[in-house]
Amino acid sequence: MSVRNLEFLFRPSSVAVVGASNRERSVGAAVMHNLLAGGFAGPVMPVNPKHEAVAGVLAYADVASLPVTPDLAVICTPAPVVPRLIADLGRRGTRAAVVLTAGPGACAGDGRTLEQAMLEAARPHLLRILGPNCLGLLVPASRLNASFAHMDALPGHLALVHQSGALCTALLDWARGKGIGFSHFVSVGDSADVDFGDTLDFLASDPSARAVLLYMESVRNPRKFMSAARAAARNKPVLVIKAGRVAEGERAAASHTGALAGSDAVYDAAFRRAGMLRVFDTDEMFDAVETLARAGPLPGERLAILTNGGGPGVIATDALVLGGGRLAQLAHDTVARLDEVLPAHWSRGNPVDVIGDAGGERYARALEILLDAPGVDAVLVLHAPTAVVANLAVAESVAAVAAARQAAPRLLACWLGGENVQPARRRLSASGIANYDTPESAVRGFMHRVRYQRSQELLMQTPPAAPDRFQPPTQAVRQVIEQALAQGRELLSEPEAKAVLSAYGIPVVETRIARDPADAADAARAVGLPVALKVLCEDITHKSDVGGVVLDLESTDDVRRAAERMHARIREMLPDVELQGFTVQPMARRPGAIELIVGVTTDPVFGPVLLFGEGGTAVEELADSAVALPPVNVKLARELMQDTRVWRRLRGYRDRPPVDLDALARVLLRISQLVVDCGEVVELDVNPLLADAGGVLALDARMRVRRAGAAPERRLAISPYPEQLEETLEIDGRPLLVRPIRPEDQPEHKAFLDSLDPQDVRYRFFGQVREFVHSQLARFTQIDYDREMAFIASEAGEQGRRTLGVVRAVFDPDGARAEFAIVVTSAMKGKGLGHALMEKMIGYCRSRGARELYGEVLAENEQMLRLARRLGFAIRRVPRAEVMCVSLELSPREAEPGSPSTSAPG
């Protein structure tokens, strides 16, 4: 349901406290005290049949007796009565409730849990519920404290959304002691209804929240969370602490991938994909907010350190290198310029040690040179107090340089010491320079900026053009999988798994099944000696551990004898397992090839996960792997490879040439496509996957399958490209491909926008656009298919495909309404392309269950207004503007109290 009616939760004009009490230290008493003491401006109405007044305020016996309908109700009663109270409030017209009560998992007595009964009572009335089992919420700017917290929150511009009530109160205490204020302080508790995704959607568009901080333990709706997080992270910094960094439960791993892809690694991959910055403790979270609030974009990641002492410079350097940062290398010209202003015995390198007696002028001249240096992206200024230099004077000089060069966003500072350096720190803060107590915290602040910028670039990056569209024989693959499932098998045989990989264009070594040692000898003769012999058994996960692999067998007699010994050995070790026979494959002679693992596992929260890393028999001991959420593109595939230690070897070293990285990326792309296409695939190991300059070759494969659910595509945390929406239309006698837009389309889309007539641009964007920059183009092409759709119409030509028109619709987070925009090239106007694109979008929005499609059109754009009338849109003028609002009802709608207006543009 997302943001529907959340304004009543976060901006209520009246509050009822159901279960309000005069009993000291009760939750009902604490909530009443907080609402009244906080100075909430609207009516606060206690509901309790046993009291005439609570906290000096007239009480009411029940919800029906309230003099006005409360926007928000805070429920502090025992769990069994909560569903009935929610129903009473819904009938009364209340649109939001905070349920503080714990115990929603208890049985309601009719086969439902109390939580289910509560949600079903709320649903007919669109009543939103925060909780249950939560602390409540605080909105300091509105003087709203609808919680049982032991203190109020200071006002500020940070929104914090928290999952643990106990930690929430401790965090509130800690933040107040440090003078940290909040725009919103929200405890979501068990998140039965309002969850992280909903709050992110609401806060992303609230200007009072300049950054959003999440303190989470788990995610209940990963797809909604990912969509909301990606949308919010485009608007403002979103930082997250994930409590519980170990696996969420014991999980039997039938593959190396299952063992390596722990839940915390998956959460980490999800946060990076969403553009959020992960931090690991509360201090770091607020430090990061301080840094990002003062920071602008950096031109790069190279840091120069300017210091008056060798010790602090070394400490900062160690922290930078160990934290994965880059120390700037000073060019010869930069060193020469520094020679002119620094003592002869300065460090002549980075860190730049200006010597302990350096005053403000020396600092300023060195800082100016570093800011001009071509290899320096940011500067950390360290100052250790000395008896011969005034701390404040040095800070004044640094602040003056920052102001003259407008360089504050590129600077960080650390004045070491205590009370004596506070005036200097205040001066730096007043100049917009982020400053820290220690060198380590300063470097950590710099790395926050680096990591945040990387995450934003990941959100905005344009992947290279994909290779020719690969169309695997999906139906044949499904037959292989269905045959195994029909036989009651979850594990495909090695040849079956390799047949699936081969169908998806992944090179595999030929593999034959042998029933007994004699068959194995015959198979060896057929594939060609020498061969590798492996045991075939569904119950044995790691064949090498039980002697189930023998390599380099040179003759058929060797094969037969090896098979006999292998069978006897495994029978003795594992008498209860059922052996199906052996597999025989020719030896792959790839000297110098690197053994890798590529795999898939299914995370209990985020669904399918891709894994890449160094492979071989010691894969788990090496623990060199990285994970990513599918679907991936070429750029994301490269990012996944770069997150491993083996990446350095893959790029080549000494006399070793680099491996074929394009072939490796194709493997990741096609396994990602396999996961998208076949919901039955729940686990996959390709180990080892040999990689060298000649390409890749899968030597072994293990695949687990299960029957897919009713909506297998929903198992993915990120909506995949909806290929089924592609179609070819004939417009004006020309075949045009109409399909959803893809991130790879950015260059083509820029060419399309650049080709538009100035008037077309003004009609589409309500003004002239001098140039479409990368961030705009990324926003146009990198869409979340769960929340937005853009159909482009393109024509094939000698120079490749050329876009002729695009229609776009952006859904509100509830999916009830969608705002559209359309533009076609002048050459295609009046030929039916605009009509065809609009009809396709109308049909798509109907299929999504949207109730209304609307848009704004300049009053002078008569051609678009005529098209809207032909399609059945209602048209009205926006007051005091030369804009017409056009809207189309997509389906009959029942009147819903509190539903968004269908006439006003969103």
Side-chain angles (χ1 to χ4, degrees), residues 215 240-242 245 264 268 277-285 444 448 451:
Y215 206 118
V240 58
I241 292 179
K242 166 65 173 67
R245 297 180 59 194
D264 190 65
D268 206 47
L277 176 63
R278 185 178 188 180
V279 294
F280 295 96
D281 58 56
T282 308
D283 274 321
E284 186 184 1
M285 173 180 278
R444 186 171 67 174
H448 286 151
R451 288 169 47 213

Side-chain angles (χ1 to χ4, degrees), residues 66 89 166 186 225 236 253 309 319 425 533 535 552 573 622 638 658 718 759:
L66 292 171
L89 288 163
V186 186
F225 171 75
K236 59 190 66 175
R425 289 175 179 167
L533 178 75
V535 68
D552 288 306
M573 293 175 63
L622 292 169
R638 288 289 185 118
I718 298 173
Q759 187 182 59

